[in-house]
Amino acid sequence: MWVSVPPTQSHDRYERIFAEVEAPFAFVDLDAMWANADAMLGRAGGKPVRVASKSIRCRALLEEILRRDQGFRGLMTYTLAETLWLAEQGFDDLLLAYPTTDVEALGELALRSAASPDGAPIVMVDCPEHLDAIESVLGADAAPVRVCIDLDAGWWALGGRVKVGPKRSPVHTVEQAIALAREIEGRPKIELDALMAYEGQIAGVGDTPPGRRLRGAMIRFMQRRSAKELAERRGAVVAALSEFVELEIVNGGGTGSLELTSAEAAVTEVTAGSGFYAPGLFDHYSRFTLTPAAGFALPIVRKPSPKVATALGGGYLASGSGDPARLPSPWLPPGLKLDPEEGAGEVQTPLLGEPAAGLAVGDRAYLRHAKAGELCERFDVLHLVQGDEIVDVVPTYRGEGKTFL
Ligand SMILES: Cc1ncc(COP(=O)(O)O)c(C=O)c1O
């Protein structure tokens, strides 16, 4: 395994590197990304890490990551159209993590499954309707389509009155998982190959929210209890299913839970995506520290007063609960702040804080997105930096004309 040293990140350094690039632009600092990648492999404790494409959204970087180390194995994809496109581009070992009702794409998947029964993408199911949709496109002589059961990894407290975790799959108990697996067994054109359980309430929730000590303590309590409950339930589901099916894959986890999920004997692989770019929402975890690796630069276009620098663009909000943590965060020079009245604007973003006084029209400010892959929906290309130079400029999904979500 490689061991990378994170780079020193400063406004001056990036201004030198990007002197010839017109802002706004987005970039990935490869030294930081590889330091994050290596740290995540370490945290996965030797279990393979499936790479979440939704958090990368750049084909060239997905290829680089998979080439980097054998510990990165396969992609976790997010729509069937994307999955089929990646398969066409030569990617294999594809696990689509979210169910689909796209009948046209399912038709294409059926063709691909016939051409490559063991290597076709695996798609997610959690109810008989998903199985019906798959069967609806299969002819009498079709090869089986490979599926994965999505097991709800949420934590149910107070006898089920409080449910913590992503609201996705209705399959929560061992009995429900067996019932769905038996349903699949009764359908000869569908093959159950995998189980996935994503514990978003652990992997995707930072346990040291800034300025909120009590909330942090509550999150840590919830995560400890949830991890223990899930380890037992996931193990029991895998044991029960293994009585009558051979599961190729038992997937779990995300950037925020690699060390916890990979320690479970029943889990064969973990997933990570966000940790490569290390966006703002991943700054507040007690279990690890990542190096910011993706950012965007905005030009300062006006000075409404000597202490305020107003940038062009910047309103790239992250999906989710709509709280202020979903706003982009001013990054370099350090100490810049968003204006609480205006936040990050559709075309203008005023920047406050001490360093704003030192920014002149024509300078640039550097910001980070709160989430990972969504940055790539705003820019056609990513400038890749290594050492003190731009080593490549590669298209994002959007730059390839691919806007899947
Ligand atoms: C099914 C699934 N697995 C894993 C992840 C973790 O991805 P990341 O490492 O990008 O947070 C997610 C994120 O939402 C997910 O939906």
Side-chain angles (χ1 to χ4, degrees):
M1 189 168 77
W2 310 53
V3 176
S4 303
V5 180
T8 316
Q9 295 172 319
S10 72
H11 187 249
D12 284 354
R13 173 166 168 260
Y14 286 130
E15 281 296 76
R16 277 196 302 278
I17 294 171
F18 295 118
E20 306 299 324
V21 183
E22 201 64 52
F25 62 85
F27 68 98
V28 169
D29 189 325
L30 293 176
D31 297 319
M33 190 181 88
W34 294 135
N36 294 337
D38 295 346
M40 290 197 292
L41 283 178
R43 290 174 54 221
K47 293 234 168 120
V49 177
R50 186 173 291 277
V51 180
S53 64
K54 76 173 177 71
S55 303
I56 307 293
R57 299 192 198 202
C58 169
R59 196 157 58 91
L61 284 181
L62 289 172
E63 279 166 5
E64 287 291 314
I65 291 168
L66 292 172
R67 246 203 309 267
R68 167 91 172 171
D69 191 295
Q70 289 191 344
F72 295 120
R73 208 170 301 165
L75 296 181
M76 173 173 281
T77 56
Y78 62 102
T79 73
L80 186 52
E82 180 222 7
T83 312
L84 294 167
W85 174 64
L86 290 171
E88 255 167 53
Q89 307 297 321
F91 289 89
D92 56 14
D93 195 352
L94 304 172
L95 174 66
L96 172 58
Y98 315 93
T100 183
T101 53
D102 181 342
V103 173
E104 200 183 316
L106 280 171
E108 261 186 69
L109 175 68
L111 295 179
R112 203 164 261 287
S113 302
S116 167
D118 298 327
I122 300 177
V123 296
M124 201 57 57
V125 296
D126 66 35
C127 61
E129 287 82 352
H130 296 149
L131 305 175
D132 294 343
I134 295 170
E135 280 187 334
S136 75
V137 302
L138 299 176
D141 53 353
V145 166
R146 308 164 77 207
V147 299
C148 176
I149 291 181
D150 187 350
L151 175 74
D152 174 54
W155 181 53
W156 293 6
L158 303 177
R161 283 196 294 277
V162 177
K163 294 181 177 173
V164 186
K167 293 175 188 62
R168 295 186 186 175
S169 174
V171 181
H172 184 81
T173 64
V174 176
E175 294 70 29
Q176 288 169 327
I178 293 175
L180 184 57
R182 290 287 186 202
E183 176 78 39
I184 295 169
E185 206 183 23
R187 302 188 188 219
K189 297 278 174 227
I190 303 186
E191 180 180 300
L192 177 58
D193 281 349
L195 178 82
M196 181 191 82
Y198 169 58
E199 54 274 58
Q201 71 280 12
I202 303 173
V205 179
D207 62 349
T208 55
R212 306 185 68 185
R213 282 179 57 182
L214 185 60
R215 185 170 163 76
M218 283 164 58
I219 291 172
R220 287 191 292 279
F221 170 80
M222 174 277 288
Q223 291 184 340
R224 267 196 309 276
R225 297 288 291 266
S226 172
K228 186 168 178 297
E229 184 278 329
L230 179 60
E232 284 162 17
R233 184 159 51 88
R234 184 155 41 200
V237 169
V238 171
L241 297 188
S242 301
E243 296 283 318
F244 60 102
V245 286
E246 204 176 314
L247 293 173
E248 235 175 75
I249 295 172
V250 178
N251 177 285
T255 293
S257 75
L258 292 172
E259 53 285 275
L260 300 172
T261 313
S262 63
E264 288 182 33
V267 169
T268 63
E269 59 169 44
V270 286
T271 296
S274 306
F276 292 95
Y277 293 168
L281 284 172
F282 284 81
D283 285 350
H284 309 294
Y285 285 77
S286 62
R287 293 184 290 278
F288 56 89
T289 306
L290 297 163
T291 307
F296 59 96
L298 301 177
I300 304 302
V301 288
R302 54 184 10 169
K303 297 276 299 181
S305 71
K307 288 188 170 170
V308 179
T310 295
L312 184 71
Y316 314 145
L317 273 64
S319 57
S321 56
D323 60 60
R326 306 281 152 174
L327 288 161
S329 43
W331 179 26
L332 299 169
L336 284 178
K337 295 188 189 72
L338 296 178
D339 175 7
E341 296 296 321
E342 290 196 44
E346 185 180 8
V347 279
Q348 302 260 282
T349 297
L351 295 165
L352 317 180
E354 214 187 297
L359 289 173
V361 170
D363 289 345
R364 282 92 65 90
Y366 291 77
L367 288 85
R368 291 164 66 208
H369 205 279
K371 291 190 79 171
E374 287 176 309
L375 174 64
C376 292
E377 300 297 344
R378 291 292 183 166
F379 293 92
D380 281 347
V381 297
L382 292 172
H383 297 261
L384 304 184
V385 170
Q386 199 153 30
D388 282 333
E389 52 183 321
I390 298 169
V391 291
D392 211 347
V393 180
V394 293
T396 58
Y397 276 14
R398 168 183 144 153
E400 297 204 65
K402 300 289 179 189
T403 48
F404 296 107
L405 288 180

Coordinates of all heavy atoms in Angstrom, one line a residue, residues 47-111:
K47 N -10.3 -5.4 4.6 CA -11.5 -5.7 3.8 C -11.6 -4.8 2.5 O -11.2 -3.7 2.6 CB -12.8 -5.5 4.6 CG -12.9 -6.5 5.7 CD -14.2 -7.3 5.7 CE -14.1 -8.4 6.7 NZ -15.1 -8.3 7.8
P48 N -12.0 -5.4 1.4 CA -12.1 -4.6 0.2 C -13.0 -3.4 0.3 O -14.0 -3.5 1.1 CB -12.7 -5.5 -0.9 CG -12.6 -6.9 -0.3 CD -12.5 -6.8 1.2
V49 N -12.7 -2.3 -0.3 CA -13.5 -1.1 -0.3 C -14.1 -0.8 -1.6 O -13.4 -0.6 -2.6 CB -12.6 0.2 0.1 CG1 -13.5 1.5 0.1 CG2 -12.0 0.0 1.5
R50 N -15.4 -0.9 -1.7 CA -16.2 -0.6 -2.9 C -16.3 0.9 -3.0 O -16.6 1.6 -2.0 CB -17.6 -1.3 -2.8 CG -18.4 -1.2 -4.1 CD -19.6 -2.0 -4.1 NE -19.4 -3.4 -4.1 CZ -19.1 -4.1 -5.2 NH1 -19.2 -3.5 -6.4 NH2 -18.9 -5.4 -5.1
V51 N -16.1 1.5 -4.2 CA -16.0 2.9 -4.3 C -17.4 3.5 -4.7 O -18.0 3.0 -5.7 CB -14.9 3.3 -5.3 CG1 -14.9 4.9 -5.5 CG2 -13.6 2.8 -4.9
A52 N -18.0 4.4 -3.9 CA -19.3 5.0 -4.2 C -19.2 6.0 -5.3 O -18.7 7.1 -5.1 CB -19.9 5.6 -2.9
S53 N -19.7 5.7 -6.5 CA -19.5 6.6 -7.6 C -20.3 7.9 -7.4 O -19.9 9.0 -7.9 CB -20.0 5.9 -8.9 OG -21.3 5.7 -8.9
K54 N -21.4 7.9 -6.7 CA -22.1 9.1 -6.5 C -21.3 10.2 -5.8 O -21.6 11.4 -6.0 CB -23.4 8.9 -5.6 CG -23.1 8.7 -4.1 CD -24.3 8.6 -3.3 CE -24.0 8.4 -1.8 NZ -23.4 9.5 -1.1
S55 N -20.3 9.8 -5.1 CA -19.5 10.8 -4.3 C -18.2 11.2 -5.1 O -17.5 12.0 -4.6 CB -19.1 10.2 -3.0 OG -20.2 9.8 -2.3
I56 N -18.1 10.6 -6.3 CA -16.9 11.0 -7.2 C -17.3 11.7 -8.5 O -16.8 12.7 -8.8 CB -16.1 9.7 -7.5 CG1 -15.7 8.9 -6.2 CG2 -14.8 10.1 -8.3 CD1 -14.7 9.6 -5.3
R57 N -18.3 11.1 -9.1 CA -18.9 11.6 -10.4 C -17.9 12.1 -11.4 O -18.1 13.2 -12.0 CB -19.9 12.7 -10.0 CG -21.1 12.2 -9.2 CD -22.2 13.1 -9.0 NE -23.0 12.7 -7.9 CZ -24.3 13.0 -7.7 NH1 -24.9 13.7 -8.5 NH2 -24.9 12.6 -6.6
C58 N -16.8 11.4 -11.5 CA -15.8 11.7 -12.5 C -15.2 10.4 -12.9 O -14.6 9.7 -12.1 CB -14.7 12.7 -11.9 SG -13.3 12.9 -12.9
R59 N -15.4 10.1 -14.2 CA -15.0 8.7 -14.7 C -13.4 8.5 -14.5 O -12.9 7.5 -14.1 CB -15.4 8.6 -16.1 CG -15.4 7.2 -16.7 CD -16.4 7.1 -17.9 NE -16.0 8.0 -18.9 CZ -15.2 7.8 -20.0 NH1 -14.7 6.6 -20.0 NH2 -15.0 8.6 -20.9
A60 N -12.7 9.6 -14.9 CA -11.2 9.5 -14.9 C -10.7 9.2 -13.4 O -9.8 8.4 -13.2 CB -10.6 10.8 -15.4
L61 N -11.4 9.9 -12.5 CA -10.9 9.6 -11.1 C -11.4 8.3 -10.6 O -10.6 7.6 -9.8 CB -11.4 10.7 -10.2 CG -10.6 12.1 -10.3 CD1 -11.2 13.1 -9.3 CD2 -9.1 11.9 -10.1
L62 N -12.5 7.8 -11.0 CA -12.9 6.4 -10.6 C -11.9 5.4 -11.1 O -11.5 4.5 -10.4 CB -14.3 6.1 -11.2 CG -15.5 6.9 -10.5 CD1 -16.8 6.6 -11.3 CD2 -15.7 6.4 -9.0
E63 N -11.5 5.6 -12.4 CA -10.5 4.7 -12.9 C -9.2 4.8 -12.1 O -8.6 3.7 -11.8 CB -10.2 5.1 -14.4 CG -11.2 4.6 -15.3 CD -11.1 5.2 -16.7 OE1 -10.2 6.0 -17.0 OE2 -12.0 4.9 -17.5
E64 N -8.7 6.0 -11.8 CA -7.5 6.2 -11.1 C -7.5 5.5 -9.7 O -6.6 4.9 -9.2 CB -7.2 7.7 -10.8 CG -6.7 8.4 -12.1 CD -5.3 8.0 -12.5 OE1 -4.4 7.9 -11.7 OE2 -5.2 7.7 -13.7
I65 N -8.7 5.7 -9.0 CA -8.8 5.1 -7.7 C -8.7 3.6 -7.7 O -8.0 2.9 -7.0 CB -10.1 5.6 -7.0 CG1 -10.0 7.1 -6.7 CG2 -10.4 4.8 -5.8 CD1 -11.4 7.7 -6.3
L66 N -9.5 3.0 -8.7 CA -9.5 1.5 -8.8 C -8.1 1.0 -9.2 O -7.7 -0.1 -8.8 CB -10.6 1.1 -9.8 CG -12.0 1.3 -9.3 CD1 -13.0 1.0 -10.4 CD2 -12.3 0.5 -8.1
R67 N -7.4 1.8 -10.0 CA -6.0 1.4 -10.4 C -5.0 1.5 -9.2 O -4.0 0.8 -9.2 CB -5.5 2.3 -11.5 CG -5.4 1.6 -12.8 CD -4.4 2.3 -13.8 NE -4.7 3.7 -14.0 CZ -5.5 4.1 -14.9 NH1 -6.0 3.3 -15.8 NH2 -5.7 5.4 -15.1
R68 N -5.3 2.4 -8.3 CA -4.3 2.7 -7.3 C -3.9 1.6 -6.4 O -2.8 1.4 -6.0 CB -5.0 3.8 -6.4 CG -4.3 4.1 -5.1 CD -3.3 5.2 -5.3 NE -2.8 5.7 -4.0 CZ -1.8 6.5 -3.9 NH1 -1.2 7.0 -5.0 NH2 -1.3 6.8 -2.7
D69 N -4.9 0.8 -6.0 CA -4.7 -0.3 -5.0 C -5.7 -1.3 -5.1 O -6.9 -1.0 -5.3 CB -4.7 0.4 -3.5 CG -4.2 -0.6 -2.5 OD1 -4.8 -1.7 -2.3 OD2 -3.2 -0.2 -1.9
Q70 N -5.3 -2.6 -5.0 CA -6.3 -3.7 -5.1 C -7.3 -3.7 -4.0 O -8.3 -4.3 -4.0 CB -5.6 -5.0 -5.1 CG -4.8 -5.2 -6.4 CD -4.3 -6.6 -6.5 OE1 -4.3 -7.4 -5.5 NE2 -3.9 -7.0 -7.7
G71 N -7.0 -2.9 -2.9 CA -8.0 -2.8 -1.8 C -9.3 -2.1 -2.3 O -10.3 -2.3 -1.6
F72 N -9.2 -1.3 -3.3 CA -10.4 -0.7 -3.9 C -10.9 -1.6 -4.9 O -10.3 -1.9 -5.9 CB -10.1 0.7 -4.5 CG -9.6 1.7 -3.4 CD1 -8.4 2.3 -3.5 CD2 -10.4 2.0 -2.4 CE1 -8.0 3.2 -2.5 CE2 -10.0 2.9 -1.4 CZ -8.8 3.5 -1.5
R73 N -12.1 -2.1 -4.7 CA -12.6 -3.2 -5.6 C -14.1 -2.9 -5.9 O -15.0 -2.9 -5.0 CB -12.5 -4.5 -4.8 CG -12.3 -5.7 -5.8 CD -12.0 -6.9 -5.0 NE -10.8 -6.8 -4.2 CZ -10.4 -7.7 -3.2 NH1 -11.2 -8.7 -2.9 NH2 -9.3 -7.6 -2.6
G74 N -14.3 -2.7 -7.2 CA -15.7 -2.5 -7.6 C -16.3 -1.1 -7.3 O -15.7 -0.4 -6.5
L75 N -17.4 -0.9 -8.0 CA -18.1 0.4 -7.7 C -19.5 0.2 -7.2 O -20.2 -0.8 -7.5 CB -18.3 1.2 -9.1 CG -17.0 1.6 -9.8 CD1 -17.3 2.4 -11.1 CD2 -16.1 2.5 -8.9
M76 N -19.9 1.1 -6.3 CA -21.3 1.2 -5.8 C -21.9 2.3 -6.6 O -21.4 3.5 -6.5 CB -21.4 1.5 -4.3 CG -22.8 1.7 -3.9 SD -23.0 1.9 -2.1 CE -23.0 0.1 -1.7
T77 N -22.8 2.0 -7.5 CA -23.4 3.0 -8.4 C -24.7 3.6 -7.9 O -25.3 3.1 -6.9 CB -23.5 2.4 -9.8 OG1 -24.3 1.2 -9.7 CG2 -22.2 2.0 -10.4
Y78 N -25.3 4.6 -8.6 CA -26.5 5.2 -8.1 C -27.7 5.2 -9.0 O -28.8 5.5 -8.5 CB -26.2 6.6 -7.5 CG -25.7 7.6 -8.4 CD1 -26.5 8.6 -8.8 CD2 -24.3 7.7 -8.7 CE1 -26.0 9.7 -9.6 CE2 -23.8 8.7 -9.5 CZ -24.7 9.7 -10.0 OH -24.2 10.7 -10.8
T79 N -27.6 5.1 -10.3 CA -28.8 4.9 -11.1 C -28.4 3.8 -12.1 O -27.3 3.5 -12.4 CB -29.2 6.1 -11.9 OG1 -28.4 6.3 -13.0 CG2 -29.4 7.4 -11.1
L80 N -29.5 3.1 -12.6 CA -29.2 2.0 -13.5 C -28.6 2.6 -14.8 O -27.7 2.0 -15.4 CB -30.5 1.2 -13.8 CG -30.3 -0.1 -14.6 CD1 -29.1 -0.9 -14.1 CD2 -31.5 -0.9 -14.7
A81 N -29.1 3.7 -15.3 CA -28.6 4.3 -16.5 C -27.0 4.6 -16.3 O -26.2 4.3 -17.2 CB -29.3 5.6 -16.8
E82 N -26.7 5.1 -15.2 CA -25.2 5.3 -14.9 C -24.5 4.0 -14.9 O -23.4 3.9 -15.5 CB -25.1 6.0 -13.5 CG -23.6 6.3 -13.1 CD -23.3 6.0 -11.7 OE1 -24.2 5.4 -11.0 OE2 -22.2 6.3 -11.3
T83 N -25.1 3.0 -14.2 CA -24.4 1.7 -14.1 C -24.1 1.1 -15.5 O -23.0 0.6 -15.7 CB -25.3 0.7 -13.3 OG1 -25.8 1.4 -12.1 CG2 -24.6 -0.5 -13.0
L84 N -25.1 1.2 -16.4 CA -25.0 0.6 -17.7 C -23.9 1.4 -18.5 O -23.1 0.8 -19.3 CB -26.3 0.6 -18.4 CG -27.4 -0.3 -17.8 CD1 -28.8 -0.1 -18.4 CD2 -27.0 -1.8 -18.0
W85 N -23.9 2.7 -18.3 CA -22.9 3.5 -19.0 C -21.5 3.2 -18.5 O -20.6 3.0 -19.3 CB -23.2 5.0 -18.7 CG -22.2 6.0 -19.2 CD1 -21.9 6.2 -20.5 CD2 -21.4 6.9 -18.5 NE1 -20.9 7.2 -20.6 CE2 -20.6 7.6 -19.4 CE3 -21.3 7.1 -17.1 CZ2 -19.7 8.6 -18.9 CZ3 -20.3 8.1 -16.7 CH2 -19.6 8.8 -17.6
L86 N -21.4 3.0 -17.2 CA -20.0 2.6 -16.7 C -19.6 1.3 -17.2 O -18.5 1.0 -17.5 CB -20.1 2.6 -15.1 CG -20.2 4.0 -14.5 CD1 -20.4 3.9 -13.0 CD2 -18.9 4.8 -14.8
A87 N -20.6 0.3 -17.3 CA -20.3 -1.0 -17.8 C -19.8 -0.9 -19.3 O -18.8 -1.5 -19.6 CB -21.5 -1.9 -17.7
E88 N -20.5 -0.1 -20.0 CA -20.1 0.2 -21.4 C -18.6 0.7 -21.5 O -17.9 0.4 -22.4 CB -21.0 1.2 -22.1 CG -22.0 0.7 -23.0 CD -23.0 1.8 -23.3 OE1 -22.5 2.9 -23.7 OE2 -24.2 1.6 -23.1
Q89 N -18.3 1.5 -20.5 CA -17.0 2.1 -20.5 C -15.9 1.2 -20.0 O -14.7 1.6 -19.8 CB -16.9 3.4 -19.6 CG -18.0 4.4 -19.9 CD -17.8 5.0 -21.3 OE1 -16.7 5.2 -21.8 NE2 -18.9 5.2 -22.0
G90 N -16.3 0.0 -19.6 CA -15.3 -1.0 -19.3 C -15.2 -1.3 -17.8 O -14.4 -2.1 -17.3
F91 N -16.0 -0.6 -16.9 CA -16.0 -0.9 -15.5 C -16.7 -2.2 -15.2 O -17.7 -2.5 -15.9 CB -16.7 0.2 -14.7 CG -15.9 1.5 -14.7 CD1 -16.1 2.5 -15.7 CD2 -15.0 1.8 -13.7 CE1 -15.4 3.7 -15.6 CE2 -14.3 3.0 -13.6 CZ -14.5 3.9 -14.6
D92 N -16.2 -3.0 -14.3 CA -17.0 -4.2 -13.9 C -17.1 -4.2 -12.4 O -16.8 -3.3 -11.7 CB -16.3 -5.5 -14.5 CG -14.9 -5.6 -14.0 OD1 -14.5 -4.8 -13.1 OD2 -14.1 -6.4 -14.5
D93 N -17.7 -5.3 -11.9 CA -18.1 -5.4 -10.5 C -18.9 -4.2 -10.0 O -18.4 -3.4 -9.2 CB -16.7 -5.5 -9.7 CG -17.0 -6.0 -8.3 OD1 -18.2 -6.1 -7.9 OD2 -16.0 -6.3 -7.5
L94 N -20.1 -4.1 -10.6 CA -20.9 -2.9 -10.3 C -22.1 -3.3 -9.5 O -22.8 -4.3 -9.8 CB -21.4 -2.3 -11.6 CG -20.3 -1.9 -12.6 CD1 -20.9 -1.5 -14.0 CD2 -19.5 -0.8 -12.0
L95 N -22.3 -2.6 -8.4 CA -23.4 -2.9 -7.5 C -24.3 -1.6 -7.4 O -23.8 -0.6 -6.9 CB -22.9 -3.2 -6.1 CG -24.0 -3.4 -5.0 CD1 -24.9 -4.6 -5.2 CD2 -23.3 -3.6 -3.6
L96 N -25.5 -1.7 -8.0 CA -26.4 -0.5 -8.0 C -27.1 -0.5 -6.6 O -27.8 -1.4 -6.2 CB -27.4 -0.6 -9.1 CG -28.5 0.4 -9.1 CD1 -28.0 1.9 -9.1 CD2 -29.5 0.2 -10.2
A97 N -26.8 0.6 -5.8 CA -27.2 0.6 -4.4 C -28.7 1.1 -4.2 O -29.1 1.0 -3.0 CB -26.3 1.5 -3.6
Y98 N -29.4 1.5 -5.2 CA -30.7 2.0 -5.0 C -31.7 1.4 -6.0 O -31.3 1.2 -7.2 CB -30.7 3.6 -5.1 CG -29.5 4.2 -4.4 CD1 -28.3 4.4 -5.1 CD2 -29.6 4.4 -3.0 CE1 -27.2 4.9 -4.4 CE2 -28.5 4.9 -2.3 CZ -27.3 5.1 -3.0 OH -26.2 5.6 -2.3
P99 N -32.9 1.0 -5.6 CA -33.8 0.3 -6.5 C -34.2 1.1 -7.7 O -34.1 2.4 -7.6 CB -35.0 0.0 -5.6 CG -34.8 0.7 -4.3 CD -33.5 1.3 -4.2
T100 N -34.5 0.5 -8.8 CA -34.9 1.2 -10.0 C -36.2 0.8 -10.5 O -36.7 -0.4 -10.3 CB -33.8 1.0 -11.1 OG1 -34.2 1.8 -12.2 CG2 -33.7 -0.5 -11.5
T101 N -36.9 1.7 -11.1 CA -38.2 1.4 -11.8 C -38.0 1.7 -13.3 O -39.0 1.9 -14.0 CB -39.4 2.2 -11.2 OG1 -39.0 3.6 -11.2 CG2 -39.7 1.8 -9.8
D102 N -36.8 1.9 -13.8 CA -36.5 2.3 -15.1 C -36.6 1.1 -16.0 O -35.6 0.3 -16.2 CB -35.1 2.9 -15.2 CG -34.7 3.4 -16.5 OD1 -35.3 3.0 -17.5 OD2 -33.8 4.2 -16.6
V103 N -37.7 0.9 -16.7 CA -38.0 -0.4 -17.4 C -37.1 -0.5 -18.6 O -36.6 -1.6 -19.0 CB -39.5 -0.5 -17.8 CG1 -39.7 -1.6 -18.7 CG2 -40.3 -0.6 -16.5
E104 N -36.8 0.7 -19.3 CA -36.0 0.6 -20.5 C -34.6 0.2 -20.1 O -34.0 -0.7 -20.7 CB -35.9 2.0 -21.1 CG -35.5 2.0 -22.5 CD -35.4 3.4 -23.0 OE1 -36.3 4.3 -22.8 OE2 -34.4 3.7 -23.7
A105 N -34.1 0.7 -19.0 CA -32.7 0.4 -18.5 C -32.7 -1.1 -18.1 O -31.7 -1.8 -18.3 CB -32.2 1.3 -17.4
L106 N -33.8 -1.5 -17.4 CA -33.8 -2.9 -17.0 C -33.8 -3.9 -18.2 O -33.2 -4.9 -18.1 CB -35.1 -3.2 -16.2 CG -35.1 -2.8 -14.7 CD1 -36.4 -2.9 -14.1 CD2 -34.1 -3.6 -13.9
G107 N -34.4 -3.4 -19.3 CA -34.3 -4.2 -20.6 C -32.9 -4.4 -21.0 O -32.4 -5.5 -21.4
E108 N -32.1 -3.3 -20.9 CA -30.7 -3.3 -21.3 C -29.9 -4.2 -20.3 O -29.0 -4.9 -20.7 CB -30.1 -1.9 -21.2 CG -30.0 -1.2 -22.6 CD -29.3 0.1 -22.4 OE1 -28.1 0.1 -22.1 OE2 -30.0 1.1 -22.5
L109 N -30.3 -4.1 -19.0 CA -29.6 -4.9 -18.0 C -29.8 -6.4 -18.4 O -28.9 -7.2 -18.2 CB -30.1 -4.6 -16.6 CG -29.5 -5.5 -15.5 CD1 -28.0 -5.2 -15.3 CD2 -30.3 -5.3 -14.2
A110 N -31.0 -6.7 -18.8 CA -31.3 -8.1 -19.1 C -30.4 -8.6 -20.2 O -29.9 -9.8 -20.2 CB -32.8 -8.3 -19.5
L111 N -30.2 -7.8 -21.2 CA -29.3 -8.2 -22.3 C -27.9 -8.4 -21.8 O -27.2 -9.3 -22.2 CB -29.3 -7.1 -23.4 CG -30.6 -6.9 -24.2 CD1 -30.5 -5.8 -25.2 CD2 -31.0 -8.2 -24.8

